[in-house]
Amino acid sequence: MVATRNAASRLPDGIEPQILEPDAIDGMLPPGAVHQGLAVRAFPIEPQELDAICTPPDGRSVLVLDGVTDPQNVGAAFRSAVAFGARAVILQDRKSPPLTGVLAKAAAGAIETVPHARVVNLGRAIESLRSHGYVTIALEGEAELELADALEDKRPAVIVVGAEGKGLRPAVADACEKRARIPIAPALESLNVSVAAAIALYEAQRSR
């Protein structure tokens, strides 16, 4: 732990960081990091095994992010997962950003609260969750089925969202049991992916 003298004065008794000037702390951190006079070296949050955090189903939803690479969006999705009681967040191993400080800041504490798994093949992961008793729902703007109708199924939901622009990859969408849309005004083509995830997780929680 390193801190400016001013920040160190606000710490609880018994915690003694190394005292540095603000510029020195700036030089220890990644570009764009905001430290407010205090920085701690922490162990990274490791992903867990899919089955360990998702099975057996317990009523809570699972959020799957396909090709979402913007750390701000991933962080916001983690935040929504916690806000609406999701059980876990599932990411693709090689095409998802690491849980860096920028992502953690956007998540506002959520990456320490909800577990996550990184899988090599999202399609197989979705099929596995379906076999364990989840209803798997791909969010697609062009789908005919509305999300609320898809969630009338009493099984806990796996909500699968794709990157803005590209959307879900065909193989990932095909692995899902249902395809559903969030109804929005025709003047707008789509929602931000983290906003769509938040709406879907709220609706899934409400439908329980």
Side-chain angles (χ1 to χ4, degrees):
M1 180 185 294
V2 296
T4 61
R5 196 168 301 282
N6 185 46
S9 69
R10 300 193 300 268
L11 293 172
D13 291 341
I15 299 178
E16 298 183 3
Q18 179 184 356
I19 304 299
L20 295 175
E21 293 299 317
D23 289 349
I25 298 178
D26 288 340
M28 299 172 67
L29 302 177
V34 180
H35 58 74
Q36 297 179 324
L38 182 69
V40 179
R41 184 185 296 277
F43 290 108
I45 298 172
E46 296 294 339
Q48 300 184 44
E49 293 296 324
L50 181 71
D51 286 352
I53 59 175
C54 295
T55 61
D58 64 1
R60 291 178 290 170
S61 301
V62 172
L63 177 64
V64 176
L65 304 179
D66 176 32
V68 182
T69 57
D70 184 338
Q72 298 279 359
N73 279 335
V74 176
F78 266 88
R79 191 172 185 175
S80 296
V82 174
F84 300 115
R87 183 173 183 175
V89 177
I90 312 303
L91 308 162
Q92 188 176 17
D93 190 19
R94 289 177 296 175
K95 295 187 178 180
S96 300
L99 303 190
T100 60
V102 172
L103 190 155
K105 183 180 179 183
I111 62 171
E112 294 90 354
T113 306
V114 63
H116 75 283
R118 289 181 178 268
V119 298
V120 174
N121 188 305
L122 279 180
R124 281 202 295 266
I126 291 166
E127 290 169 353
S128 174
L129 291 173
R130 180 179 177 182
S131 72
H132 283 293
Y134 287 90
V135 56
T136 54
I137 302 172
L139 281 190
E140 291 188 324
E142 62 273 18
E144 295 184 5
L145 183 67
E146 290 193 5
L147 178 62
D149 296 328
L151 289 168
E152 288 181 356
D153 194 301
K154 297 306 179 185
R155 291 171 291 170
V158 172
I159 304 294
V160 186
V161 298
E164 291 181 70
K166 295 180 180 178
L168 291 173
R169 290 173 296 160
V172 172
D174 289 345
C176 296
E177 183 178 351
K178 300 182 180 184
R179 301 179 187 219
R181 63 182 173 86
I182 297 171
I184 61 175
L188 195 66
E189 183 180 351
S190 64
L191 293 169
N192 172 276
V193 62
S194 64
V195 173
I199 293 170
L201 290 171
Y202 166 77
E203 189 68 19
Q205 183 187 56
R206 190 189 65 81
S207 69
R208 294 210 309 271

